Amino acid sequence: MKISVIVSTYNAERWLEKVLIGYSNQTYKDFELIIADDGSRPSTKELIDRYAANYPVPVRHLWHEDKGYRRQEILNIAIIEAANEYIIMTDGDCVPRKDFIEVHAKLAEKGRFLSGGYCKLTMKTSEALTEDDILSGRCFDANWLKKIDKLGFSQRLKLSSGPVLGAVLDTVTPTNPSFNNCNSSGYREDMIAINGYDERMKYGGPDREFGERLENHGVKGKQIRHKAVCLHLDHARGYKTPESLAANLAIRKEVKEKKINWTPYGIVKEAGVTVE
């Protein structure tokens, strides 16, 4: 299976570089890496170009002008631009373990999307990670991470479970297999069938709404939170506002109640539709 990995980013070169290192070290090689850039400064492009010049897989940088939070717009462009049949969605602050893409490829299934999670790190640990820590894999060792700073129980469980226990935990977990942009995947044709992301939505649940429309379309979630492992680097969330959260919840409520599977505010804009 040929895969397109879409990584969203915005003005976070220190974290994006660690992510680029992680994807350079994957056991599964048949993929392209697309950086969906929501208007970052020139230094982000310089970083990507530097890595792309000698990267083990094709790297593409998709950018649009910074006009505020428009991540869903650049993600929709990335879905259309993706060259391959299967897409992994992730973020520029999520460092993948070396088997990350391999797990998604093995578990991909028609009529399903894969729902992963992440191991959240503190700022101290996030800043401490080096290139060698990522390439050697030591940063995915719970005991090693605990020596730097605190690590929650659920994070330790994800890192330490292994394939057999991971399968059991993914079966019994009460967590809903929702679409999480940090670590989820599905078939490109299904994403296009629901018209991509709703571009009205700001921070706070646009990926969940995307998954809810996939489910209304008949594509159900499949839990892989203890199998596909990535580390979430800490950062501030200045774009998170009560207004954006409330507006997003209203959209999600309508999607659930009316079982909507298509947004007129997505890849294709219906006549008369504008996105503020």
Side-chain angles (χ1 to χ4, degrees):
M1 175 184 287
K2 292 184 179 294
I3 294 174
S4 295
V5 178
I6 297 176
V7 177
S8 64
T9 193
Y10 175 71
N11 284 345
E13 295 89 355
R14 283 196 307 155
W15 285 180
L16 181 60
E17 182 166 17
K18 297 174 197 270
V19 172
L20 288 169
I21 293 166
Y23 283 105
S24 74
N25 195 40
Q26 293 293 298
T27 55
Y28 195 92
K29 307 294 185 185
D30 203 354
F31 71 98
E32 65 169 350
L33 190 64
I34 299 174
I35 310 300
D37 187 345
D38 190 18
S40 295
R41 56 199 164 219
S43 52
T44 294
K45 181 182 186 302
E46 292 165 8
L47 170 70
I48 295 167
D49 288 348
R50 177 158 52 85
Y51 272 85
N54 192 32
Y55 211 69
V57 300
V59 178
R60 286 194 281 157
H61 180 209
L62 303 180
W63 179 92
H64 62 190
E65 187 180 352
D66 187 356
K67 295 182 178 178
Y69 182 92
R70 295 191 296 147
R71 189 185 71 158
Q72 280 58 259
E73 293 182 36
I74 197 66
L75 288 178
N76 279 341
I77 292 169
I79 290 170
I80 293 300
E81 290 286 328
N84 299 321
E85 62 174 324
Y86 198 76
I87 292 175
I88 297 174
M89 287 288 183
T90 185
D91 290 332
D93 54 17
C94 292
V95 181
R97 194 168 65 185
K98 67 179 181 179
D99 64 342
F100 183 79
I101 297 178
E102 182 181 346
V103 170
H104 277 271
K106 284 181 176 178
L107 298 177
E109 182 181 341
K110 287 285 188 179
R112 306 297 290 269
F113 67 82
L114 302 183
S115 171
Y118 57 67
C119 299
K120 190 172 184 178
L121 304 183
T122 64
M123 181 60 76
K124 180 181 178 181
T125 308
S126 300
E127 292 178 333
L129 294 192
T130 68
E131 178 177 7
D132 190 54
D133 296 332
I134 297 166
L135 294 177
S136 69
R138 72 171 67 94
C139 64
F140 297 96
D141 183 306
N143 291 326
W144 185 85
L145 288 170
K146 282 165 59 181
K147 292 176 182 177
I148 300 175
D149 202 2
K150 61 185 178 181
L151 189 68
F153 175 73
S154 65
Q155 321 306 328
R156 297 199 302 271
L157 202 57
K158 288 170 193 165
L159 291 166
S160 307
S161 58
V164 176
L165 180 57
V168 173
L169 292 172
D170 282 341
T171 301
V172 302
T173 180
T175 304
N176 179 50
S178 57
F179 200 96
N180 309 304
N181 246 76
C182 58
N183 180 1
S184 287
S185 64
Y187 283 89
R188 179 176 178 271
E189 64 182 1
D190 292 330
M191 297 181 184
I192 291 174
I194 65 167
N195 206 24
Y197 290 86
D198 189 317
E199 295 179 9
R200 294 174 297 171
M201 300 188 77
K202 305 303 179 184
Y203 181 84
D207 42 348
R208 300 294 179 90
E209 188 272 347
F210 180 85
E212 286 154 4
R213 279 188 289 110
L214 279 173
E215 294 198 338
N216 292 341
H217 183 63
V219 181
K220 305 304 181 185
K222 180 178 177 181
Q223 189 67 263
I224 62 164
R225 63 190 289 108
H226 294 93
K227 301 188 195 81
V229 173
C230 62
L231 303 176
H232 183 271
L233 307 174
D234 195 20
H235 59 86
R237 291 170 174 80
Y239 40 78
K240 181 178 181 180
T241 67
E243 293 77 15
S244 70
L245 295 176
N248 287 355
L249 284 173
I251 294 170
R252 291 180 63 192
K253 184 174 184 288
E254 184 180 22
V255 165
K256 289 178 183 178
E257 290 178 350
K258 298 182 179 179
K259 299 195 180 303
I260 294 169
N261 62 14
W262 168 275
T263 175
Y265 301 90
I267 294 168
V268 177
K269 308 294 187 299
E270 293 184 2
V273 165
T274 58
V275 178
E276 295 296 331

